[in-house]
């Protein structure tokens, strides 16, 4: 139904996007199949602590002798799960609140958006810390904390999109036909706002990865012995002068994933932008 | 499906009385000087008989589209009354308004913008049927085919998407969608303004035919007197949110009484080149005043070549000057078939 998907034409134009996509696919494969690729059990002590990379342990062993490569691969999966679930929470609740605020305007708009402003006043990690303090540390609570923190931005974005869409003729036409609110929202507003929301979700995924790493680094996210990138940095940094790889490897993994997600998010935005803000109101 | 709901032919289908529409303005400063609202439509009144076509003509910004939309409560008027088939629209609950939309439909100016680009044209035409719960799936499919044939589209195209169609074809989709639920009243909001001239005539002809076949009551909104003549029984000319002249179609074209109508008509090209060369067009100076600060008295006086002090002091009411014509002017033009003897006295 969409003519020549704009993302794919953007993809053809830019080799950076192509490279980012390849790397993102690799990360995703690792997240999906990490447990099968990993040479060892990530929680088992296999040898002497802090060994240098070798044929047996490609990335060496950590401070108590576990395989760093296996922990890294398992950690990818954790990072993915947290990022996707947290972003999903933010997207669903944020979009819903933004839609309600824009659609009903008036009091609903004022109340919802002032609440969002309050949430927005806290820096992301601080808000996550506050929520973790209430709910207690752990994987699930980390996802909730990160997700709730991203609701306001999603809500603001969705509200802006819907406000713009509400003035479009096809929405007025639906109303003139006698369509009810649910039909107008579901069929004539949400599908048109979705593209923008997905672009923002990509950027939000990167932020969620970073926040999860931050929480785990502080010991409030994923609990040991479950491997997580943030946790690996936290323990690795104690040996930064003697075995810097222990902190640098998970650091590089985080940096790489965020970098790639940001590039993909930007490309996606470039690909969709002219269609949404451009002069010609072609159906995108 | 289009059975006449009013058996009493003399009773109007639509009665609009003192309709006004205001749009609230954002407060720009705390001291809040200046107007609080933009008055797009002021005290518009008219009635429409079953099966009649009334055209509303005016420049952009004159409030003509807003009038049409306010009748359908999109958005509802600020004040005034709209009675449809005797039912006062403002007294209805939202649910009842939505049910009534089955009888009142709308055709839009921009055929591409007014359809959902993510739906196939078959789905677009079917949507009002689903909304109003008309027919089972198979019956609805048959109805789509029937409607597409009625407006001159190939039924085989129903799986296609809007961007695959030309403007004229897409406007036919818009018309089919409006007709789907069998309405008896249709607001056509500049349905041909966005189309090529050659396609305009086709769509006008289609509307003229459908109006006959389906006994539609049509409120036709246009910014150009030339396109409405063929279709209209009566024409209302609006300026700055007010009706300044409303007359039987032929009378208005033969004998415009308001200076503004006369100026508009002089801009319509004549088919006969000799006649076109012989007449002197009236060129209006300036632009329509902002509805934020309308002039005192007659809204048209700032551009009228006949303006007198009275025009600034008093707004002329819309009043009958002949059985066919009502005009809002202190010094209306003489009727064309009478010798321009004494001026009509101001009221």
């Amino acid at each position: 139904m969409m003519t020549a998907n704009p993302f794919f034409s953007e993809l053809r134009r830019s080799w950076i996007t192509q490279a980012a996509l390849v790397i993102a696919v690799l990360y995703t494969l690792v997240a999906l199949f990490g447990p099968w690729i990993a040479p060892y059990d990530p929680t088992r002590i296999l040898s002497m602590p802090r060994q240098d990379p070798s044929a047996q342990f490609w990335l060496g062993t950590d401070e108590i002798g576990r395989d760093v490569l296996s922990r890294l691969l398992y950690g990818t999966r954790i990072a993915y799960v947290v990022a996707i679930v947290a972003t999903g929470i933010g997207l669903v609740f944020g979009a819903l609140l933004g839609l309600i605020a824009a659609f009903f305007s008036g009091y609903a708009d004022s109340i919802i958006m002032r609440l969002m402003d309050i949430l927005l006043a806290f820096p992301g990690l601080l808000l996550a810390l506050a929520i973790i303090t209430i709910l207690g540390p752990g994987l699930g609570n980390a996802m909730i904390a990160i997700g709730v923190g991203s609701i306001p931005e999603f809500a603001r974005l969705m509200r802006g999109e819907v406000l713009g869409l509400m003035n479009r003729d096809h929405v007025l036409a639906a109303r003139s036909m006698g369509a009810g609110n649910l039909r107008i929202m579901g069929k004539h507003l949400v599908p048109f706002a979705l593209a923008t929301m997905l672009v923002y979700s990509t950027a939000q995924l990167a932020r969620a990865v970073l926040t999860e790493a931050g929480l785990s680094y502080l010991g409030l996210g994923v609990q040991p012995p479950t491997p997580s990138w943030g946790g690996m940095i936290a323990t690795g940094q104690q040996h930064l002068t003697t075995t810097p790889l222990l902190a640098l490897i998970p650091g590089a993994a985080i940096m790489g994933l965020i970098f790639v997600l940001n590039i993909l998010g930007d490309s996606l935005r470039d690909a969709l932008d002219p269609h949404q803000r451009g002069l010609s109101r072609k159906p995108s | 499906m289009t059975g006449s709901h009013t058996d009493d032919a003399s009773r109007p289908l639509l009665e609009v009385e003192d309709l006004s529409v205001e749009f609230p303005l954002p407060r720009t400063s705390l001291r809040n000087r200046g107007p609080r609202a933009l008055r797009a439509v002021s005290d518009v009144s008219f009635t429409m008989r079953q099966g009649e076509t009334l055209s509303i003509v005016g420049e952009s910004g004159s409030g003509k589209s807003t009038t049409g939309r306010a009748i359908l409560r999109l958005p509802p008027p600020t004040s005034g009354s709209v009675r449809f088939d005797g039912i006062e629209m403002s007294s209805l609950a939202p649910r009842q308004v939505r049910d009534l939309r089955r009888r009142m439909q709308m055709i839009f100016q921009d055929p591409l913008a007014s359809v959902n680009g993510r739906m196939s044209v078959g789905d677009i035409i079917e949507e009002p049927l689903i909304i109003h719960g008309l027919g089972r799936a198979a019956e609805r499919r048959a109805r789509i085919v029937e409607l597409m044939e009625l407006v001159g589209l190939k039924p085989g195209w129903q799986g296609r998407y809007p961007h695959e169609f030309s403007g004229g074809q897409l406007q036919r989709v818009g018309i089919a969608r409006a007709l789907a639920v069998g309405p008896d009243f249709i607001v056509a909001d500049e349905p041909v303004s966005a189309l090529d001239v050659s396609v305009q005539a086709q769509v006008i002809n289609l509307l003229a035919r459908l109006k006959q076949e389906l006994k539609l009551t049509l409120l036709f909104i246009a910014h150009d007197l030339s396109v409405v003549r063929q279709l209209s029984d009566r024409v209302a000319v609006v300026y700055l949110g007010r009706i300044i002249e409303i007359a039987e179609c032929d009378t208005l074209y033969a004998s415009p009484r308001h200076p503004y109508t006369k100026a508009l008509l002089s801009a319509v090209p004549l088919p006969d080149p000799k006649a076109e060369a012989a007449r002197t067009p009236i060129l209006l100076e300036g632009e329509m005043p902002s509805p934020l600060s309308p002039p005192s008295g007659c809204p048209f006086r700032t551009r009228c070549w006949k303006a007198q002090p009275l025009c600034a002091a008093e707004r002329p009411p819309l009043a009958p000057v002949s059985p066919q014509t009502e005009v809002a002017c202190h010094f209306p033009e003489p009727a064309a078939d009478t010798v321009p003897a004494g001026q009509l006295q101001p009221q």
Side-chain angles (χ1 to χ4, degrees):
Chain A
M1 86 194 207
M2 274 184 257
T3 50
N5 189 320
F7 182 66
F8 290 115
S9 48
E10 174 75 18
L11 195 58
R12 272 196 293 277
R13 264 206 307 278
S14 157
W15 66 268
I16 297 179
T17 310
Q18 291 172 2
L21 193 66
V22 169
I23 298 171
V25 167
L26 285 178
Y27 265 105
T28 310
L29 288 176
V30 166
L32 286 173
F33 303 111
W36 288 277
I37 306 171
Y40 304 104
D41 182 337
T43 55
R44 255 186 63 196
I45 296 165
L46 299 157
S47 91
M48 300 296 289
R50 287 187 283 129
Q51 286 197 357
D52 285 336
S54 62
Q56 198 186 357
F57 305 108
W58 290 5
L59 296 177
T61 57
D62 71 357
E63 71 286 346
I64 54 171
R66 295 171 298 194
D67 179 39
V68 170
L69 178 61
S70 302
R71 293 181 64 75
L72 195 69
L73 296 180
Y74 270 87
T76 312
R77 168 173 277 204
I78 300 282
Y80 257 69
V81 168
V82 173
I84 289 171
V85 173
T87 305
I89 291 172
L91 175 63
V92 169
F93 289 96
L96 203 63
L97 288 169
L99 176 66
I100 291 169
F103 193 85
F104 294 103
S105 67
Y107 283 119
D109 189 20
S110 300
I111 293 169
I112 289 173
M113 293 324 288
R114 291 305 79 74
L115 280 174
M116 294 299 109
D117 286 346
I118 292 170
L119 280 183
L120 217 50
F122 295 97
L125 190 60
L126 193 65
L127 185 67
L129 283 176
I131 296 172
I132 292 282
T133 311
I134 298 166
L135 300 177
L139 182 63
N141 291 344
M143 295 192 282
I144 293 171
I146 299 167
V148 168
S150 67
I151 287 176
E153 284 288 358
F154 276 112
R156 287 216 314 195
L157 194 67
M158 185 69 176
R159 176 176 177 270
E161 282 294 307
V162 172
L163 281 179
L165 286 166
M166 298 259 287
N167 292 321
R168 299 250 296 253
D169 270 1
H170 79 264
V171 177
L172 188 70
R175 223 181 256 297
S176 80
M177 280 182 257
N181 291 343
L182 280 179
R183 166 173 284 270
I184 290 174
M185 289 193 262
K187 260 201 126 87
H188 300 287
L189 292 173
V190 170
F192 291 84
L194 220 53
T196 308
M197 300 304 284
L198 287 179
V199 171
Y200 184 73
S201 297
T202 322
Q204 185 55 39
L205 277 177
R207 248 171 283 173
V209 169
L210 195 61
T211 312
E212 185 271 326
L215 287 175
S216 296
Y217 174 84
L218 296 171
L220 299 170
V222 179
Q223 296 301 300
T226 310
S228 81
W229 294 346
M232 288 168 77
I233 295 180
T235 50
Q237 69 164 0
Q238 296 158 11
H239 311 281
L240 207 55
T241 47
T242 50
T243 327
L245 273 184
L246 286 185
L248 289 181
I249 287 169
I254 293 169
M255 200 187 75
L257 182 56
I258 290 171
F259 192 59
V260 156
L261 285 173
N262 280 336
I263 289 174
L264 287 181
D266 282 357
S267 307
L268 212 54
R269 194 193 54 216
D270 291 349
L272 295 168
D273 226 25
H275 270 250
Q276 298 202 323
R277 311 252 183 267
L279 293 173
S280 65
R281 286 275 188 194
K282 292 243 175 195
S284 51
Chain B
M1 251 175 139
T2 50
S4 74
H5 297 264
T6 37
D7 297 326
D8 183 2
S10 65
R11 195 173 81 179
L13 181 69
L14 183 78
E15 297 161 87
V16 177
E17 213 175 299
D18 294 331
L19 181 87
S20 295
V21 181
E22 289 179 0
F23 295 111
L25 293 172
R27 300 213 300 178
T28 47
S29 79
L30 283 175
R31 281 193 291 169
N32 197 30
R33 284 178 299 187
R36 291 230 176 143
L38 184 151
R39 204 172 166 89
V41 177
S42 301
D43 307 321
V44 164
S45 303
F46 60 85
T47 60
M48 289 178 74
R49 297 184 307 274
Q50 178 96 43
E52 186 186 30
T53 298
L54 172 68
S55 289
I56 298 184
V57 178
E59 289 173 79
S60 56
S62 60
K64 55 190 189 303
S65 291
T66 310
T67 305
R69 289 174 182 197
I71 290 166
L72 300 179
R73 304 188 71 74
L74 298 166
T78 313
S79 64
S81 134
V82 175
R83 277 188 302 280
F84 181 78
D85 204 2
I87 306 161
E88 173 60 53
M89 297 271 294
S90 61
S91 70
L92 298 178
R95 176 76 242 176
Q96 293 171 302
V97 172
R98 284 203 272 141
D99 287 342
L100 202 59
R101 295 202 189 285
R102 198 183 145 184
R103 299 182 56 193
M104 324 171 77
Q105 289 284 308
M106 184 159 176
I107 300 167
F108 292 83
Q109 174 174 7
D110 185 337
L112 183 59
S114 62
V115 295
N116 185 332
R118 289 163 188 266
M119 291 166 73
S120 71
V121 298
D123 290 344
I124 289 168
I125 297 171
E126 187 182 20
E127 188 173 21
L129 298 171
I130 296 174
I131 288 170
H132 292 282
L134 301 175
R136 294 153 173 272
E139 291 164 337
R140 289 200 303 264
R141 274 195 292 279
R143 178 80 177 141
I144 296 169
V145 171
E146 180 191 342
L147 284 161
M148 290 184 78
E149 281 168 350
L150 184 69
V151 299
L153 292 169
K154 290 203 180 93
W157 290 346
Q158 55 180 286
R160 296 195 186 178
Y161 284 85
H163 62 261
E164 299 176 61
F165 287 83
S166 70
Q169 288 170 329
L170 217 45
Q171 194 55 289
R172 290 171 193 266
V173 173
I175 293 169
R177 172 177 68 180
L179 295 174
V181 290
D184 30 17
F185 174 66
I186 286 186
V187 174
D189 186 2
E190 302 206 45
V192 298
S193 309
L195 306 177
D196 290 341
V197 176
S198 58
V199 182
Q200 284 190 355
Q202 294 172 16
V203 172
I204 294 271
N205 287 338
L206 173 66
L207 282 173
R209 178 170 63 89
L210 293 172
K211 169 189 108 158
Q212 286 289 327
E213 281 178 21
L214 306 172
K215 297 182 177 59
L216 297 173
T217 308
L218 188 63
L219 184 67
F220 190 94
I221 295 161
H223 64 243
D224 177 356
L225 274 168
S226 62
V227 300
V228 303
R229 184 166 194 176
Q230 183 197 347
L231 208 59
S232 309
D233 299 310
R234 281 189 303 151
V235 177
V237 180
V238 291
Y239 189 83
L240 217 59
R242 293 176 188 277
I243 294 180
I244 51 123
E245 179 163 7
I246 181 166
E248 300 291 327
C249 186
D250 292 336
T251 313
L252 184 106
Y253 282 86
S255 170
R257 305 298 290 272
H258 197 286
Y260 179 62
T261 315
K262 199 175 172 185
L264 281 184
L265 274 175
S266 87
V268 173
L270 298 175
D272 178 1
K274 274 187 198 157
E276 176 76 50
R279 67 172 179 172
T280 47
I282 302 165
L283 295 174
L284 288 180
E285 283 174 19
E287 288 178 14
M288 197 166 67
S290 161
L292 286 174
S293 51
S296 66
C298 173
F300 185 59
R301 70 173 170 85
T302 54
R303 296 165 81 187
C304 185
W305 62 96
K306 298 171 80 176
Q308 303 286 322
L310 174 67
C311 301
E314 232 180 88
R315 187 174 57 237
L318 189 67
V321 289
S322 80
Q324 297 84 27
T325 305
E326 287 177 60
V327 65
C329 181
H330 290 304
F331 309 104
E333 298 286 317
D337 49 354
T338 61
V339 186
Q343 285 272 6
L344 268 160
Q345 287 303 307
Q347 291 139 345

